[in-house]
Amino acid sequence: MRILVTGGAGYIGATAVAMLLEAGYDVTVLDDLSTGHSDVIPTEAKFVKGSLLSNQDLDEALTGCDAVMHFAAKSLVGESVEKPDLYAEVNVGGSKALFSKMKAHGIKKIVLSSTAATYGEPKRVPISENDEPAPKNPYGATKLEIDRMVATSGFSAISLRYFNVAGALQSANGWLAERHNPETHLIPNILKATNDAPVKIFGTDWPTEDGTCIRDYIHVVDLIEAHIKALETLPEAKHEIINLGSGDGYSVRQVIAAAEKAVGHKIPAIESERRAGDPAILIADITKAKSYLNWQPNRGIDQMVLDTWNSIK
Ligand code: UDP
């Protein structure tokens, strides 16, 4: 069975490619390398360097495939506020073109990368799939629109709504690290902190026990295990939405403490202003992931920090 992985040169997509190959699938990667890195694509995968917005690239990529894992997207909240049209074109336009070409090729199976950003400011935690989505930024809005498009497509589809993805896979070809530029995510920023450039703690006056924001971190290997289970349990001509997180929350200070344990020294950190748009607490209700996918997360915050450290040091 051949799987098309869109965005397979990115951090999460490349982890999916490695784990799909390991599980015995054939893999085609479609990636325009706008943010991905070609050196992470294994030689066993067929690579099409191209765009979702090119019919020719889509035809080449979909040829011989039986199912799709769709990761390719613009995914920076701040950038999406500055360039909403770009996010609409690439995320919504690109997905629409992909779905249309899948139909032309007779491919009906798809697992999609969605996000907790579709929920916006939660009215309650943990957040369940039944809670009303209300994205607070164009990134979340484009991802919600994709989920709505796929829901009416007639495909056998599962959208997986990620909370905070961290950690790394040590693949046959080395560590598949998170390599964003600029890096905005907490764990890599903690691990890159120096005395001259300490990590900033965005807000210490949040309504949480230690005053810093709480997030639900999930190891990228647990995340992709859930994708493979989703691929193997796709509903017939129906769309499901499933949250992926650990079901537990960690504050920024708790993550810094876990990192200090992993690296064995104090992490330089400074208290800073709140970052615009951050909700205080995001935690996933993962009841559906556990029951529907017969899955559970197995790697905790200490391992996420340690694997991230090993992948970037
Ligand atoms: N954060 C922080 N300093 C940083 C990056 C992030 O204090 O350099 C905080 C951020 O405000 C949020 C949490 O860490 O509460 C996780 O942020 P991240 O950008 O990793 O993921 P997000 O939750 O925005 O998807």
Side-chain angles (χ1 to χ4, degrees), residues 37-175:
H37 305 269
S38 61
D39 58 358
V40 297
I41 302 169
T43 47
E44 302 94 297
K46 174 182 163 188
F47 177 40
V48 177
K49 181 181 176 307
S51 163
L52 295 170
L53 296 168
S54 154
N55 280 328
Q56 201 185 330
D57 294 344
L58 279 173
D59 278 330
E60 192 185 341
L62 285 164
T63 300
C65 290
D66 305 286
V68 175
M69 274 195 195
H70 180 30
F71 298 95
K74 294 258 159 215
S75 62
L76 295 177
V77 169
E79 184 185 55
S80 80
V81 175
E82 282 159 30
K83 301 176 186 168
D85 294 346
L86 176 70
Y87 274 64
E89 183 191 349
V90 175
N91 293 1
V92 181
S95 299
K96 201 170 181 179
L98 171 67
F99 299 162
S100 151
K101 275 290 177 191
M102 281 173 63
K103 283 185 183 158
H105 284 251
I107 301 169
K108 299 192 174 86
K109 295 180 175 180
I110 183 164
V111 177
L112 299 101
S113 160
S114 187
T115 167
T118 53
Y119 295 115
E121 188 76 40
K123 280 159 214 74
R124 56 174 189 177
V125 286
I127 302 170
S128 127
E129 295 85 353
N130 300 322
D131 293 347
E132 195 55 40
K136 281 176 77 178
N137 51 62
Y139 167 62
T142 59
K143 285 290 190 162
L144 180 61
E145 203 171 331
I146 296 165
D147 285 349
R148 289 187 168 152
M149 278 191 312
V150 81
T152 57
S153 66
F155 291 148
S156 296
I158 295 182
S159 291
L160 297 168
R161 291 205 170 146
Y162 313 164
F163 283 65
N164 290 62
V165 185
L169 170 71
Q170 188 171 29
S171 76
N173 301 316
W175 284 99

